[in-house]
Amino acid sequence: MAPSADRHGYWGQPTSTLDWCEENYVATFYIAEFWNTVSNLIMILPPIYGAIQTFRDGLEFRYICSFLGLAAVGVGSWCFHMTLLYEMQLLDELPMIYSTCVFVYCLYECFKQENTTSLFPIALLLIFSFSVTLVYLHWKEPVFHQVMYGTLVACLVMRSIFIVTWVYPWLRPLCYTSLGVFMLGFLLWNIDNIFCNTLRASRHKLPPGVGVATQFHAWWHIFTGLGSYLHILLSLQIRSTYLKHRPNIKFVCGVWPTLHIEAQKTS
């Protein structure tokens, strides 16, 4: 990660254990990392819309929690990058664990009867979340959080690939698009970390509008936010297919995909 820049702003000296490659307080005195902050809108606004639509369709509460969990990550990440305070870092990183646990529950319990609750996986995921939280609060090592988050994502990837390979192969395009977009974000996250000095130097040479395109951590937010959103749609599609509902994909403003579910009519 990049060292803290010399500039100081509204939120004072950073106290977080991470400080990313975007230089601090360049765009405005009130936001430490401007582009890393505003890029979180993709993880806030669409999931809120998705939660509202899911509620209107009368779908299971777990999917409302999935959308709201993604929105919570976006809000936490917004606060973290805006302030670079340790408390806000926790508000970003811990919801990543909690929301992904909800994703795991939804995907691994997708072939159960409607409105049933399985206590064992819930207890297992709660123990995992509590343990990660407890360890991370005492051992402030970002790599630990990243490994735990990566473990949950790996569980989602394996389960998704199994389902689209052996159960619903017609969902492969959505599954692989979600995975591919997410992995593209992960690639850019690594480039931003490894080549930070080169990226910072290039931004001073490039026109401002072009230099913004090198803010790869902001692109990580955009691509992982989209990939996570598409994963929730995949999970909803799998669940609605199993329950014999009729999913209908619509596009808001002709661009953003949303899933509308109609119950199967019986004659």
Side-chain angles (χ1 to χ4, degrees):
M1 311 308 172
S4 298
D6 294 331
R7 295 180 182 87
H8 297 286
Y10 180 81
W11 302 100
Q13 186 69 23
T15 60
S16 59
T17 61
L18 293 171
D19 192 356
W20 304 98
C21 192
E22 182 178 356
E23 294 180 87
N24 300 343
Y25 296 107
V26 171
T28 171
F29 175 77
Y30 297 98
I31 299 178
E33 297 176 344
F34 180 80
W35 297 108
N36 287 353
T37 298
V38 298
S39 57
N40 286 290
L41 284 173
I42 197 171
M43 283 192 283
I44 300 174
L45 299 181
I48 290 176
Y49 179 89
I52 294 172
Q53 185 60 48
T54 302
F55 175 77
R56 287 175 177 173
D57 287 344
L59 300 178
E60 292 163 308
F61 182 65
R62 68 186 73 169
Y63 294 101
I64 299 176
C65 291
S66 293
F67 281 118
L68 293 181
L70 181 57
V73 172
V75 171
S77 183
W78 177 291
C79 295
F80 170 35
H81 291 286
M82 181 175 67
T83 66
L84 290 180
L85 299 178
Y86 175 69
E87 294 79 7
M88 298 300 104
Q89 179 182 348
L90 294 178
L91 192 64
D92 171 21
E93 293 177 329
L94 292 179
M96 290 173 64
I97 299 294
Y98 307 151
S99 62
T100 310
C101 282
V102 177
F103 299 168
V104 169
Y105 178 80
C106 289
L107 203 58
Y108 278 80
E109 294 295 307
C110 61
F111 300 127
K112 298 292 180 66
Q113 294 301 312
E114 191 168 9
N115 294 316
T116 58
T117 302
S118 301
L119 296 180
F120 177 74
I122 290 177
L124 197 62
L125 291 168
L126 284 174
I127 292 171
F128 178 84
S129 299
F130 178 78
S131 301
V132 170
T133 302
L134 192 63
V135 171
Y136 195 45
L137 288 176
H138 287 82
W139 185 34
K140 301 176 183 179
E141 175 52 64
V143 174
F144 169 75
H145 168 268
Q146 292 160 10
V147 170
M148 293 299 100
Y149 176 67
T151 300
L152 292 172
V153 171
C155 292
L156 289 176
V157 171
M158 290 187 294
R159 179 65 168 174
S160 299
I161 292 177
F162 172 81
I163 291 173
V164 301
T165 300
W166 301 105
V167 186
Y168 299 136
W170 56 275
L171 285 176
R172 286 177 187 171
L174 180 56
C175 175
Y176 293 141
T177 299
S178 169
L179 178 59
V181 169
F182 191 96
M183 292 308 296
L184 175 58
F186 181 64
L187 173 64
L188 295 177
W189 181 83
N190 280 283
I191 293 174
D192 192 72
N193 292 337
I194 297 170
F195 301 104
C196 178
N197 291 333
T198 302
L199 290 171
R200 280 192 168 187
S202 69
R203 288 170 197 153
H204 292 290
K205 299 175 183 178
L206 295 171
V210 179
V212 168
T214 67
Q215 299 288 357
F216 288 159
H217 192 88
W219 285 110
W220 147 262
H221 291 158
I222 292 170
F223 285 120
T224 55
L226 174 58
S228 298
Y229 179 89
L230 291 175
H231 167 79
I232 299 175
L233 293 190
L234 172 67
S235 186
L236 266 172
Q237 189 93 314
I238 293 169
R239 183 65 171 156
S240 63
T241 300
Y242 176 76
L243 295 176
K244 302 186 186 311
H245 293 171
R246 292 181 298 185
N248 182 21
I249 294 181
K250 297 181 181 180
F251 291 86
V252 177
C253 300
V255 176
W256 193 264
T258 60
L259 194 68
H260 299 251
I261 308 293
E262 294 180 4
Q264 182 73 46
K265 294 181 180 179
T266 57
S267 56

